[in-house]
Amino acid sequence: MSSKKDKFYLKLALNLAKQHEGLTSENPSVGCVIVKNNKILSLSKTSINGRPHAEVNAIRLANTNDLKGSTIYVTLEPCTHQGKTPPCTDLIIKKKISKIVYGSNDIDKRTANKLKIALRKYNISTKQVKMKEITDFYKSYFYIRKNKLPYITAKLACSNDYYIYSKKNKNITNELSRKTSHLLRYKNNAILISSKTLNKDNPFLNCRIKGLENYSPTKIILDKKLNYKKNLNIFKDNTKKCIFFYNYSNKKKLSILKKNKIKHYKINLDNQNNLDFIEIKKKLFKLNINYLLIEGGKELTKSLIQKKHINQFFLFKSGKNLNTNGQLKIKEIVNQLNKRFKNKMNLDIHLNEDKVTNYS
């Protein structure tokens, strides 16, 4: 089969993997396509929460009698080790699939670069087809595995003249931009803000796209002195998926969190008298939060960019100026982004007058 066809099926597998990006717990999201005689037998991706794997799902969806002699295309090297589930290669061997084409090597030491050796005696051929799109897709997974820390995405929305608040209207950007930002919430395990933003905006911090409401992220609040107000919208969320990080104990406020069954952790202060964000990241990783979205205000965002805590940034920019109606200008943050990140890409997602820039 030609390299052109290999890339076609791998790109199809990548599009499948993207559907569950950020939703597969500690496992990577993988796409899988099974082909025989230029006909697609089945296709699938890693299940939400990480199991079953993409290969298992695709094999189960195919007619068993057709699998013998087929080719399986996967975005990431199939696992060869016994983890919480048997290795995917066991099922591939059992179903007599004759060839595996994959895009990227895994970083997991238990399985990395072991595919060819594991399958050699079964006469199953393996072929890696490297594609930049696949390598870029797994950048976050590789970071998480290597550093044992969550991959952090941040976002801000501003007017054309760089204000993040309007005296007249609550929303700076248009509806399409807001829906796109809600997709970011869907793609991340948790969303983090400061208590200052919490008290000022009183947000729900959920995903408000029809059909995706159940994938709303866990809410993370940085509240050093437990200054949160009562009767906030986050307390009205029946899921109670919320975590507070604090330093100064306040018995009354702690009792409210306990009453609402909200998790809370005391964190040390750094040398600038702020909550130690490195400690917070380590704690979040232990809590199985691998993908974190930050929707902080100006000062928190500025600080986290400066300290290099952010892996990726989305800037939503309206095509309209606020002029004298604008509050809190972030031009200095945009200058920070241009200096801090090597890659800057304007996303063509048809947001009418709004623009979104991805820094990575």
Side-chain angles (χ1 to χ4, degrees):
M1 187 172 283
S2 71
S3 179
K4 189 175 181 180
K5 285 187 178 179
D6 288 342
K7 288 183 177 179
F8 171 81
Y9 290 123
L10 282 174
K11 192 166 185 178
L12 178 57
L14 177 60
N15 287 334
L16 291 164
K18 287 179 177 178
Q19 293 175 15
H20 282 178
E21 183 183 9
L23 303 174
T24 54
S25 190
E26 74 274 14
N27 288 337
S29 183
V30 175
C32 180
V33 180
I34 303 178
V35 179
K36 186 176 181 180
N37 299 326
N38 294 325
K39 178 184 176 182
I40 295 175
L41 302 182
S42 70
L43 38 78
S44 195
K45 64 253 182 191
T46 306
S47 298
I48 287 174
N49 294 326
R51 296 175 190 86
H53 292 182
E55 300 93 322
V56 174
N57 287 332
I59 288 171
R60 287 174 177 173
L61 288 171
N63 187 322
T64 300
N65 296 327
D66 293 335
L67 287 170
K68 185 178 179 180
S70 65
T71 299
I72 190 166
Y73 289 87
V74 280
T75 50
L76 191 69
E77 178 182 12
C79 62
T80 56
H81 68 280
Q82 175 72 45
K84 293 180 180 178
T85 55
C88 290
T89 48
D90 281 5
L91 195 57
I92 290 170
I93 293 163
K94 183 180 178 181
K95 298 299 180 181
K96 295 182 167 56
I97 292 168
S98 62
K99 186 176 181 180
I100 299 173
V101 180
Y102 64 98
S104 176
N105 287 318
D106 201 343
I107 198 174
D108 190 331
K109 292 179 181 178
R110 297 171 297 175
T111 202
N113 299 305
K114 295 178 182 176
L115 184 67
K116 190 172 184 178
I117 297 169
L119 298 179
R120 186 179 289 159
K121 64 180 179 181
Y122 299 100
N123 202 28
I124 298 173
S125 66
T126 63
K127 178 183 179 181
Q128 183 182 13
V129 178
K130 293 182 180 180
M131 296 171 64
K132 185 179 183 300
E133 306 100 295
I134 292 177
T135 303
D136 289 346
F137 176 73
Y138 286 114
K139 182 169 68 172
S140 59
Y141 164 64
F142 292 155
Y143 175 88
I144 295 163
R145 281 282 185 181
K146 182 179 178 181
N147 298 284
K148 299 191 184 311
L149 293 171
Y151 186 85
I152 297 178
T153 301
K155 66 165 281 285
L156 274 177
C158 68
S159 64
N160 189 54
D161 48 355
Y162 300 103
Y163 290 106
I164 60 172
Y165 284 103
S166 170
K167 295 176 185 176
K168 287 188 174 181
N169 300 311
K170 181 181 178 182
N171 297 314
I172 299 285
T173 52
N174 64 29
E175 185 181 359
L176 286 171
S177 285
R178 295 194 295 277
K179 283 186 176 180
T180 303
S181 70
H182 277 266
L183 278 174
L184 289 178
R185 294 183 178 184
Y186 161 70
K187 292 285 187 182
N188 284 272
N189 308 137
I191 179 171
L192 182 148
I193 64 170
S194 67
S195 58
K196 185 177 178 181
T197 300
L198 177 69
N199 289 332
K200 181 178 176 65
D201 296 349
N202 192 19
F204 286 95
L205 299 179
N206 55 1
C207 179
R208 294 192 291 279
I209 294 178
K210 192 173 181 180
L212 300 181
E213 299 90 344
N214 290 336
Y215 299 101
S216 292
T218 298
K219 305 162 187 65
I220 312 293
I221 312 299
L222 303 187
D223 194 356
K224 183 171 72 173
K225 296 184 179 181
L226 292 175
N227 287 325
Y228 68 85
K229 295 178 180 178
K230 297 179 182 179
N231 302 317
L232 292 165
N233 288 324
I234 60 165
F235 295 131
K236 300 173 187 176
D237 183 354
N238 292 328
T239 65
K240 296 289 187 294
K241 292 195 300 181
C242 188
I243 299 170
F244 271 71
F245 288 116
Y246 70 98
N247 178 264
Y248 298 111
S249 296
N250 179 319
K251 289 184 179 180
K252 187 176 181 181
K253 290 293 186 72
L254 284 174
S255 67
I256 294 173
L257 296 181
K258 289 175 183 176
K259 183 181 177 182
N260 282 278
K261 297 180 180 179
I262 290 175
K263 293 179 181 178
H264 46 281
Y265 300 97
K266 190 171 183 177
I267 298 294
N268 293 315
L269 300 179
D270 61 19
N271 55 15
Q272 294 179 318
N273 206 36
N274 295 317
L275 292 175
D276 188 332
F277 201 73
I278 295 174
E279 187 180 338
I280 289 169
K281 289 198 295 184
K282 290 178 179 178
K283 184 64 180 178
L284 290 174
F285 181 77
K286 287 181 179 178
L287 292 169
N288 206 28
I289 290 172
N290 296 296
Y291 292 90
L292 175 65
L293 176 65
I294 294 176
E295 291 191 6
K298 180 179 177 179
E299 294 307 316
L300 177 62
T301 302
K302 183 180 173 181
S303 172
L304 294 180
I305 295 171
Q306 190 175 14
K307 294 176 181 177
K308 298 183 179 180
H309 286 302
I310 295 171
N311 301 99
Q312 170 173 236
F313 197 99
F314 288 90
L315 180 67
F316 292 83
K317 190 178 179 185
S318 168
K320 298 177 181 178
N321 291 324
L322 287 179
N323 300 315
T324 56
N325 289 318
Q327 292 180 318
L328 285 182
K329 208 165 193 176
I330 59 158
K331 185 63 189 287
E332 59 187 309
I333 289 179
V334 177
N335 291 336
Q336 266 187 309
L337 291 170
N338 290 325
K339 289 179 182 177
R340 162 75 179 85
F341 293 96
K342 293 180 181 178
N343 300 315
K344 174 184 174 182
M345 182 169 61
N346 294 317
L347 302 184
D348 181 19
I349 49 178
H350 308 293
L351 298 182
N352 295 334
E353 293 180 352
D354 290 1
K355 293 179 181 178
V356 58
T357 305
N358 179 14
Y359 296 85
S360 61

